[in-house]
Amino acid sequence: MDKEQTRYWVALSQVRKLGATRFKKLENHFGDLGMAWAAGPGELRKAGLEGGIASALADLRQHISPDEEMEKLERAGVQALTWRDTAYPPRLKHIDDPPPVLYVKGTLLPEDERAVAVVGTRSPTSYGREVSAAISGDLARNGINIVSGLALGVDTMAHRAALTQGGRTIAVVANGLDITYPRDNAGLSRQIEEQGAVVSEYPLGTRPDPRGFPRRNRLISGMSLGTLVVEAGEKSGARWTVFHALEQNREVFCVPGSIFSPASRLTNRLIQDGAKLVSSHTDILEELNLTVVAKQIEMRLAENLPPSPDAEGEGDLLRCLDHEPMHIDDIRREAKLPIALVGSLLTMLELKGMVKQVGAMHYVRIAEATPAYGN
């Protein structure tokens, strides 16, 4: 999307409570959001906005300029991505309530789709700190992007471990990107910008508010194949990330802890409720079908052998695909497989040269793959 349109998305994102549903109403009614920005309260109500929000938008126009907002972003080194931009994280685009505008400091890459969220308490035990660093570092070394919330405690350990291993990491924050919170992580935030990205749905100048953190957590889980909870008590904010992960049909992993430790009450209960017990990074890679397939690719490359459909589920996916683009959600429904597994298998099939993503999470089967897998 060009800057001419993006500036209106940025301006509109500053209207409180103008979330995904109302943005879609404006898009459907006006098409061009520049027209929505200029519309009067009456026309906004015809588009489906309630009177209070329509009035708030009209009032906001008197106080800000879309061009000036874009200039502020440029000075702050922040990029604004709308859900119409190809660089917008594809997996995030398909959650129930995606942010219409995602603010980014750093760089988002296509390979960031291979991501695992790591969350937990702000006050981990020595065991929690050790586990957070070990598993996050091992995941990063195996090419997995670590997504977390930049909070003190488990989040900090996860980000630092990924950076130490030379991996990529994304911090999702609940404030404007011209503010660093917590301040103790200002240096870490700058490192993440250089080796990944810090992202937020909140405009510049938005200060952290306790009510924003549970909502922020839907983005942490939404950008990831699965969520790992290291240590968390029953009232930990990590429970919101788990809630969103389950709602988004993502995998949930938990590190078990002592039955006597308050820091492990949530994780131990979640394991009882069906979360995957994790004792090392390989448990996560295997559950997401990443380890075995990656080893198969490596062996075939070494032996110069053609790829074959021996990874469980790959043949089922290819039989769903042809040369017409198909969205990942439709592939999941037809293949009757979990979305996390579908994403992993499609990634591996891309590496094998058997499918191709043609944009916005739509895939096609490559002609050469047809004889090997059949119809």
Side-chain angles (χ1 to χ4, degrees), residues 125 127 231-234 255-269 271-272 277:
T125 65
Y127 165 74
E231 272 189 331
E234 286 286 2
V255 175
S258 167
I259 62 173
F260 302 110
S261 172
S264 292
R265 284 178 183 160
L266 178 64
T267 51
N268 289 346
R269 180 178 64 77
I271 291 170
Q272 287 182 313
L277 185 152

Side-chain angles (χ1 to χ4, degrees), residues 48-355:
L49 297 193
E50 299 87 335
I53 296 176
S55 297
L57 196 164
D59 181 64
L60 184 68
R61 279 202 303 261
Q62 310 305 313
H63 300 94
I64 72 169
S65 157
D67 289 330
E68 289 177 3
E69 294 306 308
M70 293 298 288
E71 290 170 7
K72 289 178 186 177
L73 290 175
E74 188 171 350
R75 288 195 298 271
V78 174
Q79 181 184 13
L81 297 176
T82 78
W83 60 34
R84 299 302 177 200
D85 288 308
T86 56
Y88 189 100
R91 188 168 288 111
L92 188 60
K93 191 179 297 185
H94 296 289
I95 67 173
D96 285 342
D97 186 21
V101 180
L102 189 69
Y103 296 95
V104 181
K105 253 191 173 183
T107 308
L108 295 175
L109 300 177
E111 53 264 37
D112 291 336
E113 289 293 288
R114 285 184 62 171
V116 169
V118 180
V119 298
T121 177
R122 286 172 168 79
S123 303
T125 65
S126 57
Y127 165 74
R129 290 193 294 272
E130 184 177 356
V131 170
S132 302
I135 296 182
S136 299
D138 287 339
L139 287 170
R141 195 167 59 250
N142 280 271
I144 303 300
N145 178 15
I146 301 299
V147 180
S148 198
L150 197 63
L152 299 176
V154 168
D155 292 18
T156 293
M157 300 301 298
H159 289 307
R160 288 196 186 282
L163 294 170
T164 299
Q165 293 299 327
R168 289 183 57 77
T169 184
I170 293 175
V172 186
V173 299
N175 48 265
L177 295 185
D178 53 340
I179 298 168
T180 300
Y181 180 84
R183 290 185 180 179
D184 289 350
N185 275 347
L188 176 60
S189 181
R190 288 191 292 271
Q191 285 181 279
I192 294 172
E193 291 168 25
E194 295 172 0
Q195 210 163 307
V198 180
V199 305
S200 175
E201 66 180 314
Y202 294 100
L204 297 183
T206 304
R207 304 201 65 80
D209 183 307
R211 294 169 294 182
F213 291 100
R215 182 168 174 76
R216 173 277 307 266
N217 290 357
R218 84 190 192 287
L219 306 187
I220 294 176
S221 58
M223 296 180 75
S224 309
L225 290 166
T227 292
L228 170 66
V229 188
V230 177
E231 272 189 331
E234 286 286 2
K235 294 185 178 181
S236 169
R239 74 188 189 280
W240 289 105
T241 315
V242 172
F243 170 79
H244 292 304
L246 294 172
E247 189 179 53
Q248 295 159 356
N249 200 25
R250 307 290 201 259
E251 300 292 339
V252 175
F253 307 98
C254 289
V255 175
S258 167
I259 62 173
F260 302 110
S261 172
S264 292
R265 284 178 183 160
L266 178 64
T267 51
N268 289 346
R269 180 178 64 77
L270 288 171
I271 291 170
Q272 287 182 313
D273 291 345
K276 171 73 175 179
L277 185 152
V278 167
S279 59
S280 77
H281 73 288
T282 57
D283 295 327
I284 297 173
L285 295 178
E286 288 170 3
E287 188 71 17
L288 296 176
N289 204 36
L290 296 174
T291 301
V292 174
V293 180
K295 287 181 179 177
Q296 291 171 345
I297 295 171
E298 185 178 343
M299 289 173 60
R300 291 193 188 99
L301 289 173
E303 299 172 9
N304 198 27
L305 294 175
S308 63
D310 52 3
E312 185 178 354
E314 286 187 358
D316 293 335
L317 285 196
L318 272 189
R319 279 186 283 274
C320 294
L321 291 166
D322 55 26
H323 309 304
E324 290 296 321
M326 189 174 185
H327 190 267
I328 188 170
D329 286 340
D330 297 321
I331 299 171
R332 174 185 63 80
R333 280 190 288 270
E334 189 163 331
K336 296 181 173 61
L337 294 171
I339 188 65
L341 179 57
V342 170
S344 302
L345 292 175
L346 287 170
T347 297
M348 293 305 110
L349 288 169
E350 278 193 278
L351 290 172
K352 292 180 178 183
M354 306 194 108
V355 304

Side-chain angles (χ1 to χ4, degrees), residues 359-375:
M361 297 302 282
H362 285 75
Y363 293 82
V364 297
R365 186 171 64 186
I366 294 175
E368 290 78 1
T370 304
Y373 285 82
N375 290 303

